[in-house]
Amino acid sequence: MNLSIIGAGYVGLVTACCFAELGHKVKCIEKDSEKVKMLKKGSIPIYEPGLEEILKKNIGKNLFFTTSIADGVKESPVIFICVGTPQDRRGSADLFQVEEVAREIARNINGYKLIVEKSTVPLDSHIWINKTIQRFAKKGVTFDVASNPEFLKEGSAIEDFMKPDRIVIGVSSERAKKILLDLYSNFKCKKIVTNPQTSKLIKYSANIFLATKISFINNIADISEKVGADVNVVADAIGVDERIGRAFLNAGVGYGGSCLPKDVKAFIKIAESAGIDFKILKEIDRYNDERPLMIVKKVKEALWILKDKEIAIFGLSFKPNTDDIREAASLKIIPQLLAENARIRLYDPVAELQFRKIFPESEAVRYFKTPYEAVEGAHLLLILTEWEDFKKIDINKIAGLMVIPIVVDGRNIFPPAKMKKTGFEYYSIGRV
Ligand code: UGA
């Protein structure tokens, strides 16, 4: 099929590259001309395993980049909207980019079009897109607006796109249903065809449920610490029950990233506008916002006075296998440590460049190329992301390089007994 993908952010770029890889002719439209230049040369502005290879393979063959929505709309019967829906001041999703795109589509519509919402958007946005196109397009144009949310995770986005657990299609016409089912005909997973409202509610429900699981297990971790229990053993044991499942029951520094925190806040507002006070979700949100403070408290309990202490930090991104630092715990924890006049020694396998834009190198903030250099002379090591490489680190060497071997492990990557045997004063989450 001839497809247009509007927006070359995380979702748009992965969608465009993967559809091209599957043999469709894809035009990816992005208003940032610098980004387009970069993509045309075959480099991606984000770190996502496998994505650059697919881009390089398909560029100029099945995959084209442009800044012009007009080109894409005229050539493609199917148009995916993948633009950002950032949080506004009230916590709702800000849809100004979606509206702008809808107007531009309307101005260039030249025959039947299926416009598909892929960004995470409120439950009534398809009605507004529909109205906007009716208002700004020539009379008599035919089009449908559908919803087809994505469920990909950063760090495993290609795999999630190519082998999804399910495909959700929200449509209001048989024509739209047929086009989307044809597009995904080679995917063997479960396909759910429903109306657009339900489709978008599925997307939000999935994300807020995942956030709920994380805040739930973090609360259990707090209790575990107080009573001498082990949260990991609890998670393993309850996770065996297939009604519960083990995934997303890893206690830690709280959920971050561009989706879960934003979607929880936006859904509280969606519920409010439906007249529902979603109290549990409000509590999940509040608890998660405060989670980084708990880590700072642990650091203070271990070191007492932070002034002039050298604190090494491993992991700056919101999770492993990505350089994305949006809503990462590191962004909230580091300013608090600096406010107490600690000196920070940072190491991350890929997120350093992104982090430097917010925390430039200074006397108090230094970056290191290896984890071993970062801990040299440190009074405490704080782990904020569970990269596989951190788990394989030589802990004897780490202990030898530090002034005092203290570890605050915000992701439970080491076995406590082993750490204590190596001579570490070891603090983790919900384990003794
Ligand atoms: C999330 C969802 O998992 C995807 O299904 C969804 O498509 C995506 O949002 C989206 O809406 O676009 P993502 O933001 O890439 O994906 O990250 P997750 O893997 O969900 O992790 C979110 C946060 O939860 C991270 O900070 C992670 O460290 C944390 N987490 C995750 C935990 O603290 N404990 C866990 O057990 C699992």
Side-chain angles (χ1 to χ4, degrees):
M1 278 187 200
N2 258 331
L3 307 174
S4 271
I5 314 289
I6 306 184
Y10 223 102
V11 175
L13 194 54
V14 172
T15 305
C17 289
C18 288
F19 274 138
E21 176 74 4
L22 292 171
H24 299 287
K25 269 246 164 328
V26 178
K27 190 151 254 185
C28 185
I29 302 149
E30 165 61 50
K31 65 178 177 190
D32 178 345
S33 54
E34 285 307 308
K35 207 187 224 183
V36 168
K37 255 190 229 159
M38 185 178 183
L39 290 164
K40 278 182 172 170
K41 282 187 205 143
S43 10
I44 56 168
I46 47 173
Y47 175 87
E48 180 62 41
L51 188 60
E52 199 160 275
E53 287 75 8
I54 299 187
L55 170 75
K56 285 199 163 96
K57 195 172 143 200
N58 289 285
I59 198 148
K61 294 179 195 124
N62 281 345
L63 181 58
F64 303 87
F65 290 94
T66 172
T67 51
S68 159
I69 291 189
D71 284 357
V73 172
K74 281 177 189 145
E75 285 167 28
S76 315
V78 185
I79 301 157
F80 284 88
I81 303 183
C82 300
V83 296
T85 51
Q87 203 171 294
D88 70 11
R89 269 179 290 130
R90 294 172 53 249
S92 303
D94 193 333
L95 298 184
F96 74 98
Q97 294 186 62
V98 174
E99 197 264 353
E100 210 173 280
V101 164
R103 269 189 288 140
E104 198 61 22
I105 292 174
R107 276 195 280 271
N108 292 287
I109 206 161
N110 61 340
Y112 175 80
K113 303 287 168 189
L114 174 59
I115 295 130
V116 190
E117 298 180 281
K118 222 176 201 342
S119 315
T120 305
V121 277
L123 312 184
D124 63 351
S125 54
H126 60 287
I127 300 170
W128 280 105
I129 293 176
N130 204 307
K131 241 185 219 172
T132 306
I133 297 179
Q134 299 277 12
R135 281 176 184 167
F136 289 90
K138 283 188 229 110
K139 290 273 162 301
V141 290
T142 52
F143 68 94
D144 279 303
V145 183
S147 155
N148 169 222
E150 58 76 28
F151 296 95
L152 50 89
K153 302 182 285 299
E154 293 188 18
S156 60
I158 311 287
E159 170 90 4
D160 293 340
F161 187 97
M162 296 297 194
K163 291 188 197 138
D165 297 329
R166 75 298 209 187
I167 288 169
V168 176
I169 290 172
V171 284
S172 327
S173 81
E174 278 303 312
R175 190 173 186 178
K177 175 178 163 183
K178 186 175 177 317
I179 295 172
L180 286 173
L181 284 177
D182 277 355
L183 179 65
Y184 288 113
S185 59
N186 288 333
F187 286 72
K188 297 287 168 253
C189 64
K190 191 173 172 63
K191 289 169 194 145
I192 297 111
V193 181
T194 180
N195 63 27
Q197 292 88 322
T198 312
S199 166
K200 288 183 271 186
L201 189 53
I202 292 169
K203 169 67 191 182
Y204 271 114
S205 300
N207 275 4
I208 66 176
F209 190 73
L210 293 173
T212 305
K213 274 187 109 173
I214 298 167
S215 279
F216 170 84
I217 204 66
N218 283 337
N219 266 287
I220 299 293
D222 294 344
I223 296 167
S224 299
E225 280 174 24
K226 295 278 183 254
V227 301
D230 185 324
V231 71
N232 274 9
V233 180
V234 174
D236 289 345
I238 62 172
V240 173
D241 186 332
E242 52 178 42
R243 291 170 305 172
I244 297 171
R246 177 63 177 85
F248 277 67
L249 287 180
N250 294 319
V253 299
Y255 56 81
S258 63
C259 305
L260 265 43
K262 173 172 77 100
D263 291 354
V264 165
K265 288 183 200 307
F267 202 77
I268 291 170
K269 294 290 169 197
I270 289 174
E272 256 171 41
S273 43
I276 311 286
D277 185 8
F278 203 156
K279 286 200 177 106
I280 308 172
L281 198 58
K282 284 183 176 166
E283 182 52 23
I284 284 155
D285 181 44
R286 185 204 60 79
Y287 178 78
N288 194 68
D289 278 349
E290 287 180 4
R291 196 78 188 146
L293 298 181
M294 177 280 299
I295 295 288
V296 175
K297 194 165 156 241
K298 272 185 192 286
V299 171
K300 284 169 88 167
E301 277 165 8
L303 281 181
W304 186 29
I305 302 294
L306 302 190
K307 186 173 184 304
D308 295 335
K309 295 279 167 39
E310 299 276 340
I311 299 178
I313 298 182
F314 288 2
L316 303 172
S317 54
F318 80 98
K319 67 171 186 179
N321 297 321
T322 178
D323 64 347
D324 195 338
I325 58 169
R326 285 176 287 177
E327 297 288 325
S330 56
L331 291 176
K332 294 181 188 156
I333 292 168
I334 290 169
Q336 305 246 4
L337 302 178
L338 290 173
E340 306 245 357
N341 294 317
R343 285 195 293 267
I344 312 294
R345 309 169 64 84
L346 302 172
Y347 171 71
D348 188 285
V350 297
E352 180 185 326
L353 219 64
Q354 300 300 335
F355 219 73
R356 276 179 182 271
K357 293 178 192 163
I358 298 171
F359 292 97
E361 183 129 25
S362 67
E363 212 182 303
V365 179
R366 274 164 301 155
Y367 291 86
F368 296 88
K369 291 288 162 226
T370 69
Y372 301 107
E373 286 167 83
V375 295
E376 217 176 321
H379 299 95
L380 183 140
L381 164 62
L382 174 58
I383 295 162
L384 295 182
T385 313
E386 68 280 26
W387 277 87
E388 277 307 308
D389 284 359
F390 299 165
K391 296 179 189 165
K392 294 182 211 138
I393 223 150
D394 180 346
I395 53 168
N396 283 303
K397 191 169 167 186
I398 295 281
L401 287 165
M402 294 177 73
V403 176
I404 350 166
I406 305 179
V407 171
V408 173
D409 181 355
R411 296 291 188 169
N412 287 350
I413 65 171
F414 296 119
K418 188 177 166 193
M419 294 302 279
K420 283 171 193 161
K421 215 171 136 206
T422 315
F424 281 101
E425 211 178 294
Y426 180 70
Y427 304 90
S428 59
I429 309 290
R431 303 183 304 170
V432 282

